[in-house]
Amino acid sequence: MSVLQRAKTWEISDSEDEGDAQTKGEESRQTGLSADCGSSRGSQDTCTPHAVSQSNSLSPPRELKSGTPSPARKRRTKEEVEAERVKAKERKEARERERRAKAQEKEERRQEQQRRREAAERLKSLRPENCLKRLTVCVDPALLQHSGSDILLDTLVASEWKFSIESQQLSHSITWTRDVSQQGEESKGPVEEEQIILVLGLTDFMDMVIWVKKMLESDGEESPVESVLSPLLECLNRDAKKVVTVLVTDSQPHYRANSCREYTVHQTLQSQLGIDNLELEEVLVYLQLYKNVSVVFLDGWQNVTDHVCAVTKALSKRPFKILTERTELPFCVDGSWASGVRVERDGSGLSQVWSRQIQQLNRVSPAVASTITAAYPSPQILLQAYQSMESEEDRKGLLAGLLVKSGGKERRIGPDISARVYRCLTAHNSQLVLD
């Protein structure tokens, strides 16, 4: 095969699009050219012209060097460099401020969610069923000497309430403690409730009555003789907020009637001490008014247990009741109008707010309030009318002559309501009684 035929073959192989065929054609062509040119070095016209052209066509193109140099980069002045540096610094500071603002907003959202979560948990913990789990009934060991005290302990166990048997400040007493460690970080440990129940028999109660009667006969001077009431008074002197309830129970068998006739406490006191009902009532009133001590007469330990359970349930409900009964506007009375009036941006609704504000006063009907607001459309106008008056009596009677139409009849507002409206709008004492 001649060189020309090989070249034709190579040209056909070069014209194909496939990459593998082109690579093989180039390799075979270079091998053939090297072999033919090596065999016939003397005849340059046979291998050089066409082979060199074919090799040039197959070789990659060379980069052409441009004869014209690239234009030189414009040199910036110091002012331009400084201005660009300042702009870059401002952009960096702006990005940093934006990043800090986003981080602060994210932290505020997290804190707000944490506060809401804590408020929800605190509200949940104040519910009676949860608050009851943190109450502990503290029973004095001296009460266990009574034959019926096992009724109280069995009831507490059956109700799954926490209780403890420990010595109290008052012998024969029952107190309550509340665990508030989960409700706030400031208060740690159990907090003692204000309620105290003192369980006494008829004998101890009669000693208390004798002691109080002697004190009343001596014009209120406390006797130095020791009695059942002495430690109770010492406890009240240390903490005046304590609320003491004395449960008098006829637990001694020799005070129960052996016949069908049942002796009451009054009959026992009258028969053994010669104290009538009037003197007993005086003793009870003195304990209630001057010492904040209530006396309840019960028959047996079952009634004592029921009373302790009732107080325990009441203490569990008290925190939630205090929270729910706390109002934003304590001066508002209950009623259908207490829901409020919507005030638009254009001011519509203010006249109804002014009318309902007057209705908050006692014995002021909607007809009276609408009459006052019709004569004086705003509180400012009414205050200006008060300032234009010369005497105090004229200011108090400014609204007395206005006619109120209700039920087809007309009547005047009167000096009483007029004076109360005046005191409500002009008084500086927040504790002033308007009526």
Side-chain angles (χ1 to χ4, degrees):
M1 183 181 293
S2 64
V3 178
L4 295 177
Q5 290 178 352
R6 287 184 178 181
K8 289 180 180 180
T9 304
W10 294 336
E11 289 174 358
I12 292 173
S13 300
D14 192 314
S15 63
E16 293 181 358
D17 295 334
E18 296 180 359
D20 295 339
Q22 181 178 358
T23 305
K24 292 179 180 180
E26 290 176 358
E27 293 177 354
S28 61
R29 177 183 175 185
Q30 292 176 0
T31 305
L33 284 174
S34 61
D36 292 341
C37 292
S39 61
S40 56
R41 291 182 179 178
S43 57
Q44 297 179 359
D45 55 340
T46 304
C47 94
T48 302
H50 191 73
V52 173
S53 63
Q54 291 296 332
S55 62
N56 291 335
S57 63
L58 295 177
S59 62
R62 297 180 179 180
E63 295 181 359
L64 298 176
K65 294 183 179 180
S66 178
T68 59
S70 59
R73 187 175 180 181
K74 186 179 179 180
R75 189 177 185 86
R76 295 178 298 175
T77 61
K78 293 183 178 180
E79 291 78 6
E80 293 176 348
V81 173
E82 186 66 24
E84 187 175 353
R85 186 182 296 111
V86 171
K87 289 181 180 179
K89 185 178 180 181
E90 291 178 353
R91 289 194 297 267
K92 183 178 180 180
E93 292 178 354
R95 289 193 299 268
E96 186 68 20
R97 286 194 301 268
E98 185 178 359
R99 186 187 64 80
R100 288 197 299 265
K102 289 182 179 179
Q104 183 178 0
E105 183 179 358
K106 184 178 180 181
E107 181 66 19
E108 290 178 356
R109 288 199 302 267
R110 189 191 65 80
Q111 293 179 0
E112 182 65 22
Q113 292 177 358
Q114 182 69 17
R115 285 193 295 267
R116 291 181 180 179
R117 192 181 301 109
E118 292 177 356
E121 292 177 356
R122 192 179 303 109
L123 179 62
K124 184 178 179 181
S125 65
L126 291 178
R127 293 187 178 277
E129 59 274 11
N130 296 326
C131 192
L132 188 59
K133 299 177 182 179
R134 291 191 299 274
L135 279 176
T136 302
V137 183
C138 304
V139 183
D140 189 77
L143 291 176
L144 302 181
Q145 300 176 3
H146 295 270
S147 59
S149 60
D150 55 344
I151 300 177
L152 174 62
L153 299 181
D154 294 341
T155 304
L156 295 177
V157 172
S159 302
E160 298 181 355
W161 293 348
K162 294 190 297 183
F163 68 94
S164 63
I165 300 175
E166 55 186 6
S167 299
Q168 305 295 319
Q169 295 181 359
L170 294 177
S171 180
H172 298 81
S173 65
I174 300 175
T175 60
W176 288 263
T177 58
R178 186 190 305 273
D179 186 12
V180 294
S181 59
Q182 300 178 358
Q183 299 180 5
E185 298 181 356
E186 298 180 357
S187 300
K188 296 181 180 180
V191 175
E192 188 174 354
E193 295 289 341
E194 300 173 356
Q195 277 69 22
I196 297 177
I197 288 181
L198 184 61
V199 183
L200 297 179
L202 282 177
T203 304
D204 296 333
F205 179 70
M206 285 190 293
D207 294 340
M208 181 185 296
V209 171
I210 294 173
W211 190 88
V212 173
K213 185 178 179 183
K214 291 181 179 179
M215 186 173 57
L216 293 177
E217 291 176 353
S218 61
D219 297 332
E221 295 181 0
E222 297 184 1
S223 174
V225 180
E226 292 291 334
S227 66
V228 180
L229 193 59
S230 298
L232 177 58
L233 296 179
E234 293 178 0
C235 179
L236 294 177
N237 292 332
R238 287 193 301 267
D239 191 356
K241 295 182 179 180
K242 294 294 183 180
V243 179
V244 182
T245 301
V246 178
L247 302 183
V248 181
T249 175
D250 188 5
S251 59
Q252 302 298 330
H254 59 275
Y255 282 116
R256 295 185 180 273
N258 297 326
S259 61
C260 297
R261 182 172 176 263
E262 181 180 1
Y263 284 92
T264 63
V265 176
H266 298 270
Q267 292 172 343
T268 303
L269 293 174
Q270 185 175 3
S271 60
Q272 295 190 5
L273 302 178
I275 299 176
D276 56 5
N277 294 338
L278 181 60
E279 292 177 342
L280 179 61
E281 293 296 333
E282 290 179 355
V283 171
L284 298 180
V285 169
Y286 173 79
L287 293 175
Q288 177 67 43
L289 296 182
Y290 292 95
K291 303 300 179 181
N292 196 20
V293 176
S294 302
V295 180
V296 180
F297 299 98
L298 299 176
D299 185 14
W301 268 88
Q302 183 60 49
N303 293 334
V304 173
T305 302
D306 295 341
H307 187 88
V308 171
C309 294
V311 174
T312 305
K313 293 180 180 179
L315 290 176
S316 67
K317 296 177 182 179
R318 187 173 66 172
F320 190 75
K321 284 186 175 181
I322 293 176
L323 182 64
T324 54
E325 292 176 358
R326 186 182 304 167
T327 56
E328 294 286 339
L329 301 175
F331 56 84
C332 292
V333 297
D334 295 333
S336 59
W337 59 270
S339 58
V341 178
R342 181 179 179 83
V343 179
E344 303 295 341
R345 292 185 177 181
D346 57 354
S348 59
L350 289 174
S351 59
Q352 297 181 14
V353 174
W354 169 225
S355 177
R356 296 192 179 187
Q357 184 179 0
I358 300 176
Q359 292 180 44
Q360 294 174 7
L361 299 177
N362 192 19
R363 299 189 303 277
V364 175
S365 62
V368 174
S370 61
T371 302
I372 297 175
T373 55
Y376 301 95
S378 68
Q380 186 66 28
I381 297 176
L382 183 56
L383 290 175
Q384 292 176 358
Y386 284 142
Q387 293 175 0
S388 62
M389 297 291 177
E390 296 181 355
S391 62
E392 188 76 9
E393 295 297 330
D394 294 340
R395 297 189 187 97
K396 291 182 179 180
L398 177 62
L399 306 177
L402 297 179
L403 296 177
V404 180
K405 297 181 180 180
S406 60
K409 299 181 180 179
E410 291 185 356
R411 62 181 180 86
R412 298 183 182 276
I413 290 181
D416 184 18
I417 296 179
S418 177
R420 280 194 285 123
V421 173
Y422 170 72
R423 286 193 295 270
C424 177
L425 294 179
T426 59
H428 297 283
N429 183 12
S430 60
Q431 304 298 329
L432 179 65
V433 180
L434 300 179
D435 290 339

